[in-house]
Amino acid sequence: MSGKPKLHYFNGRGRMEPIRWLLAAAGVEFEESFLEKKDDLTKLQKDGSLLFQQVPMVEIDGMKMVQTRAIANYIAMKYNLYGKDLKERALIDMYVEGIFDLNELFMYYEIQPADKKEQHFANMMDKATNRYFPAFEKVLKDHGQDFLVGNQLSRADVQLLDTILMAEEFKPDILAKFPLLQVNEWTNSNIPKIKKFLQPGSQKKPPTPGEDIPKVMAIFY
Amino acid sequence: MSGKPRLTYLNGRGRMEPIRWLLAAAGVEFEEVFLQTKEQYDKLIKDGVLLFQQVPLVEIDGMKMVQTRAILSYIAGKYNLYGKDLKERALIDMYVEGISDLMQMILMFPFSPPDAKEKNLDSIKERATNRYFPVFEKVLKQHGQDFLVGNKFSWADVQLIEAILAVEEKIPAVLSGFPQLQAFKTKMSNMPTIKKFLQPGSPRKPPPDDHYVETVLKVFKR
């Protein structure tokens, strides 16, 4: 056994991507086992490897961890990306939960039925530009520091960068009104471990093309 | 100012109820502000007190905290309900997240269209009895301890007793195949702080009714 964390999921972003980002930002190498068909999921379920019959599942430190937030919390704590005390953690948690909510909207866009797609797109762009990005722009403006919490890189910055990049895939100029977020994006993208993760050949996943969505859904339903 | 945490939400369970449970279980007294009109909610937004324009809002220790999980994590951390180390926290987090998925189904249930209610109730029953309750039955059986993690009362226990009672309100015999959970329910219900919370006159809110659903739709209408 290699000792590296092993990620079980399909070969795409979904609910595992925040975990890939965190491990990469922490400089932790990891292995991946990709589910390609329903049988792959069924086998894991029958093995008793999935506490609630679901993936993501990450084998790490002798545990078979499930539930995205539980896994992300563990990695963030272990690798000092979770602030220095309870109050910094509280801020990080608030920011990360908001980011998760926005991510859910992005994640569900591709699987919307054709007649709902336009409305969903409008709603997610509205939430990004009127609810979430203004909140983080203000946080950065109020303290004038490079990072969201405690003047050091935390999971909040890492998850924010992931979300900003996804938002820019939908609308390249989405940060036009947010100068501090633009700076934050640039600064964090150039942190060596994150820069490495952003290069071709890394384990960062591209968006799942529309035509592949049915195949992914067939694994789970 | 009293120094007690102050909760702002509607006068009903919704997303604030797990927070009420956890504060009560920790023996922490709190105050509540109830949103009854859209105007009250709009004012909160205009005043800039809601980070993402949403409630729950909990004013605690000089912070205006939003996002249910962030608030619960803070309370659990502060009142020693989050395990003794990273690995116990990992277990607590996994259990809490699983229970939260089940509670999400209960949360959304009153808002189902009438023709979907029966199907949704069946889904809750199926998930509770086939996915979630068996996990906790097994955990309790395997270590034989009273509490889910580390032989000590934690956030996970509070979340589980809340979920058991909420599911039982809809499906009274749901624990019939789960003797460990039945014993767990009895033990937790008799812990002094929880026993107090389960008595009439406590801040615990009743199950959602039509009036509650109407208020939600009215206050949050955009």
Side-chain angles (χ1 to χ4, degrees):
Chain A
M1 202 176 90
S2 70
K4 291 182 196 171
K6 188 163 163 187
L7 279 50
H8 296 261
Y9 203 60
F10 75 92
N11 190 358
R13 290 176 179 174
R15 296 188 184 286
M16 188 63 99
E17 197 71 352
I19 294 165
R20 297 184 183 107
W21 268 88
L22 271 182
L23 286 168
V28 177
E29 285 185 24
F30 56 92
E31 294 174 355
E32 300 197 75
S33 173
F34 296 123
L35 305 182
E36 278 158 12
K37 49 197 188 316
K38 204 182 206 340
D39 283 353
D40 297 335
L41 179 62
T42 312
K43 183 174 184 302
L44 279 177
Q45 289 167 335
K46 288 209 171 114
D47 283 348
S49 298
L50 307 178
L51 188 65
F52 302 115
Q53 321 305 322
Q54 297 163 313
V55 286
M57 190 267 276
V58 173
E59 296 179 72
I60 184 168
D61 296 340
M63 298 182 285
K64 287 185 161 66
M65 287 199 73
V66 297
Q67 289 289 343
T68 309
R69 284 175 173 88
I71 300 164
N73 287 356
Y74 182 79
I75 295 165
M77 275 296 242
K78 184 176 176 181
Y79 296 102
N80 289 314
L81 290 168
Y82 218 159
K84 70 177 196 302
D85 58 28
L86 203 52
K87 284 215 167 170
E88 285 194 356
R89 256 180 52 191
L91 287 175
I92 290 168
D93 277 341
M94 282 196 278
Y95 300 162
V96 160
E97 285 298 304
I99 293 164
F100 258 112
D101 283 349
L102 181 57
N103 270 5
E104 286 278 307
L105 290 175
F106 290 158
M107 203 172 44
Y108 281 108
Y109 172 70
E110 279 303 330
I111 60 174
Q112 294 301 307
D115 60 345
K116 292 242 163 79
K117 259 192 149 92
E118 198 178 324
Q119 192 196 21
H120 188 96
F121 187 86
N123 180 40
M124 71 193 203
M125 289 297 113
D126 173 56
K127 291 288 193 292
T129 51
N130 293 324
R131 174 173 287 184
Y132 295 105
F133 290 165
F136 298 116
E137 182 79 6
K138 181 171 191 287
V139 166
L140 292 169
K141 186 167 188 206
D142 284 350
H143 61 43
Q145 294 163 4
D146 288 347
F147 303 107
L148 285 170
V149 179
N151 212 12
Q152 62 172 353
L153 183 76
S154 77
R155 71 183 280 202
D157 301 291
V158 177
Q159 316 272 202
L160 179 61
L161 179 58
D162 177 12
T163 299
I164 283 174
L165 293 176
M166 276 198 274
E168 285 178 337
E169 281 169 359
F170 289 112
K171 190 172 186 290
D173 65 348
I174 200 168
L175 287 193
K177 295 191 185 145
F178 306 107
L180 296 176
L181 286 182
Q182 292 177 38
V183 170
N184 181 270
E185 180 192 353
W186 188 87
T187 308
N188 291 331
S189 299
N190 282 296
I191 293 173
K193 290 169 190 159
I194 294 178
K195 189 170 185 171
K196 189 172 165 200
F197 189 61
L198 293 173
Q199 272 154 7
S202 84
Q203 285 159 296
K204 180 172 179 290
K205 302 291 176 274
T208 302
E211 58 268 23
D212 290 349
I213 300 275
K215 192 165 161 248
V216 172
M217 300 293 273
I219 300 171
F220 298 107
Y221 296 102
Chain B
M1 203 174 92
S2 69
K4 292 181 194 170
R6 190 160 83 165
L7 280 51
T8 300
Y9 199 66
L10 298 101
N11 189 358
R13 291 181 181 176
R15 296 190 184 283
M16 187 64 98
E17 196 72 352
I19 294 167
R20 296 182 184 108
W21 266 92
L22 194 57
L23 285 168
V28 178
E29 283 185 26
F30 52 92
E31 296 174 352
E32 298 199 75
V33 172
F34 297 123
L35 298 181
Q36 282 153 334
T37 66
K38 187 173 182 306
E39 289 68 38
Q40 275 176 287
Y41 177 51
D42 288 344
K43 182 173 189 299
L44 278 179
I45 294 176
K46 202 147 156 272
D47 287 347
V49 301
L50 304 177
L51 182 63
F52 302 119
Q53 292 125 43
Q54 298 165 312
V55 285
L57 166 70
V58 174
E59 294 168 83
I60 184 169
D61 297 339
M63 298 183 286
K64 288 179 166 52
M65 287 200 73
V66 296
Q67 290 288 346
T68 309
R69 281 178 176 89
I71 298 164
L72 288 167
S73 287
Y74 181 76
I75 296 165
K78 182 175 178 183
Y79 295 102
N80 289 313
L81 294 169
Y82 220 156
K84 71 176 196 299
D85 57 27
L86 203 50
K87 285 217 167 170
E88 285 193 357
R89 259 191 66 160
L91 286 175
I92 290 169
D93 276 342
M94 282 195 276
Y95 298 163
V96 157
E97 285 296 304
I99 296 165
S100 181
D101 284 347
L102 177 61
M103 289 300 280
Q104 177 73 7
M105 297 174 80
I106 292 183
L107 182 81
M108 299 308 296
F109 180 77
F111 302 93
S112 336
D115 57 352
K117 278 203 147 76
E118 195 180 327
K119 176 167 118 9
N120 288 341
L121 191 59
D122 284 345
S123 292
I124 291 171
K125 185 178 179 187
E126 196 273 330
R127 282 281 190 262
T129 50
N130 293 333
R131 179 172 285 190
Y132 296 106
F133 288 172
V135 168
F136 302 111
E137 181 78 7
K138 185 177 175 197
V139 165
L140 291 167
K141 187 162 187 205
Q142 278 188 335
H143 61 44
Q145 295 163 4
D146 287 349
F147 305 108
L148 285 170
V149 178
N151 208 12
K152 186 167 176 277
F153 186 53
S154 78
W155 175 17
D157 301 299
V158 182
Q159 202 77 82
L160 182 56
I161 180 70
E162 182 192 359
I164 285 171
L165 295 178
V167 176
E168 274 187 335
E169 277 171 356
K170 302 198 136 22
I171 305 157
V174 74
L175 285 195
S176 59
F178 302 105
Q180 300 282 334
L181 291 182
Q182 291 174 34
F184 176 83
K185 176 191 162 189
T186 305
K187 279 179 211 146
M188 291 303 120
S189 303
N190 283 303
M191 290 188 63
T193 50
I194 293 180
K195 189 169 184 172
K196 189 173 167 200
F197 188 62
L198 291 173
Q199 273 155 7
S202 85
R204 187 176 184 225
K205 300 294 173 273
D209 58 12
D210 289 339
H211 172 73
Y212 175 73
V213 171
E214 266 171 47
T215 310
V216 169
L217 296 175
K218 181 178 72 165
V219 169
F220 296 127
K221 185 170 180 208
R222 249 45 228 128

